[in-house]
Amino acid sequence: METKWIALLCSAAGLAFAADPAATTFSKNVAPILQKHCQQCHRPGEIGPMPLDTYQQARPWAKAIRQAVATRKMPPWFADSRYGHFSNDVSLAQNEIDTLVAWADAGAPEGNPADLPKPVAFEEGWAIGKPDLVLEMPKALPIPARGTLDIIYLVVPADFKEDRWVQAAEVRPGNRALVHHINAILRTPDQRTMRNLAPGVPYSPPKNTKFTPPPDGWQPDSEFFVGYVPGLFGKRWPEGEAKFVPAGSDFIFQIHYSTNGTAGTDQSKIGLIFSKEPPKQRVLSAVAKSWTFVIPPGDAHHEVHSVVEFASDVTLVSLQPHMHYRGSDYEYKAVYPTGETEVLLRVPKYDFNWQLTYFLAKPKLIPRGTRIECTAHFDNSVNNPANPDPNATVTYGEQSWDEMMSGWMEIGFDPGKNVKSLFAAITGPAGGGK
Ligand code: HEC
């Protein structure tokens, strides 16, 4: 009896949910989903390989779209939905996947163009809107046709005459075909980083220099501000929160160029929107990072830990796990002073090609004494198709054949507070893998 009921219920639910293939059309059912979840990348000039704005553009891709959404390869979103809520979650609901699948299975009918939703008016050029200030690399940099290029650093002078608060920031590549990623790092006037480097002149750090891990509780001296990486459309910090740029600061671009057979040039830029009034909270990048791991050759599941401990109340704004080609999964866990724990983000299948930032739907209070512990696994076996060399013993390093284990995060705090007072030195056992 009971099983019968369940069967009945299931089939009723099945009927209710299964989109009627005959009635599923591009104009009525598919276009609204593409607008909401796909066109930010799949439109001319953006990173998606083909535009999906119109029926004519989408029709030839119906089967590929079916495949990409059914396997959840598209849209790119890697957070385990059981943990946390994120404001930039682009993932599809099951009924949206069902609609796209039903449409492809029905032969991708157009339907009545009168049913089409109004096209989305995307901001041209800058995703954050029109910047108040644009800073550009001083001159175009020539990029060769071939070869693997080292990561370079380059100073982009800013000449800020007064302190500024930044509400939104975005990096735009000058040449999308050649820029793999750019990290814009803020250098404040008290920092020594690359002081001898003339503006616009590229610099690659020497290889195989002996590396000394920094002390426990280490936090970056120069701030990771915003990046251009696949899947990030600039950053707009929540209302009342902003990043601080002291007078006399510059930006340093860390750039990874990829070659594609055709030589070219690149002149990338960063756009900033300033806060209209001083913020209630200052936003800062922090990191739980491991420097000392050693991944043995062939190890398919090597575990590494990192931790950051807060000595002040802060709020958590965003999370960005970072590893290279051997990274396979990543988790952030808060261990509160009460001993309670909470998973903040789990990325069960990390993909180096997508460096996503996960913005918390609501900034979360992290009380003083909380530790944020990160756990990562690396696959250094032959089964990892992205593995540059399964025979290598892999340690910390900047180049993509080395590895990193960095739990980046952005925190908010009272702007009057000294940055150094936010972080505790790491003492307890969980610091072991640091
Ligand atoms: C954050 C940007 C982004 C979003 C959002 C996005 N895509 Fe993509 N898409 C890409 C990029 C970049 C590629 C090419 C690289 C790859 O395949 O991973 C791609 C590849 C694809 C492909 C494979 C094309 C091929 O060569 O086979 C399909 C199909 C696709 N996307 C469909 C979609 C659909 C449908 C959505 C929305 C439901 C979507 N994408 C959302 C960026 C995006």
Side-chain angles (χ1 to χ4, degrees), residues 95-141:
N95 63 335
E96 294 171 315
I97 296 176
D98 295 344
T99 298
L100 295 175
V101 169
W103 172 68
D105 287 347
E110 178 174 18
N112 183 354
D115 291 338
L116 279 175
K118 235 176 69 204
V120 182
F122 287 102
E123 288 282 347
E124 271 325 306
W126 298 91
I128 53 168
K130 191 174 175 308
D132 294 322
L133 179 70
V134 176
L135 301 167
E136 200 172 23
M137 284 161 50
K139 48 184 184 247
L141 203 64

Side-chain angles (χ1 to χ4, degrees), residues 33-157:
I33 300 175
L34 301 185
Q35 283 189 348
K36 195 164 142 228
H37 295 275
C38 319
Q39 288 173 5
Q40 65 268 46
C41 297
H42 289 278
R43 68 189 158 97
E46 288 302 330
I47 60 171
M50 69 292 187
L52 294 175
D53 290 336
T54 65
Y55 178 70
Q56 283 66 32
Q57 289 166 347
R59 174 65 191 89
W61 293 96
K63 279 217 166 95
I65 290 173
R66 182 194 197 287
Q67 167 75 7
V69 300
T71 55
R72 291 195 177 266
K73 183 175 177 256
M74 285 285 145
W77 185 255
F78 301 90
D80 183 332
S81 61
R82 288 174 298 170
Y83 307 104
H85 296 284
F86 303 98
S87 60
N88 59 328
D89 185 348
V90 286
S91 62
L92 294 169
Q94 189 58 46
N95 63 335
E96 294 171 315
I97 296 176
D98 295 344
T99 298
L100 295 175
V101 169
W103 172 68
D105 287 347
E110 178 174 18
N112 183 354
D115 291 338
L116 279 175
K118 235 176 69 204
V120 182
F122 287 102
E123 288 282 347
E124 271 325 306
W126 298 91
I128 53 168
K130 191 174 175 308
D132 294 322
L133 179 70
V134 176
L135 301 167
E136 200 172 23
M137 284 161 50
K139 48 184 184 247
L141 203 64
I143 313 296
R146 271 171 203 77
T148 307
L149 304 181
D150 287 347
I151 287 184
I152 60 143
Y153 290 83
L154 186 143
V155 175
V156 179

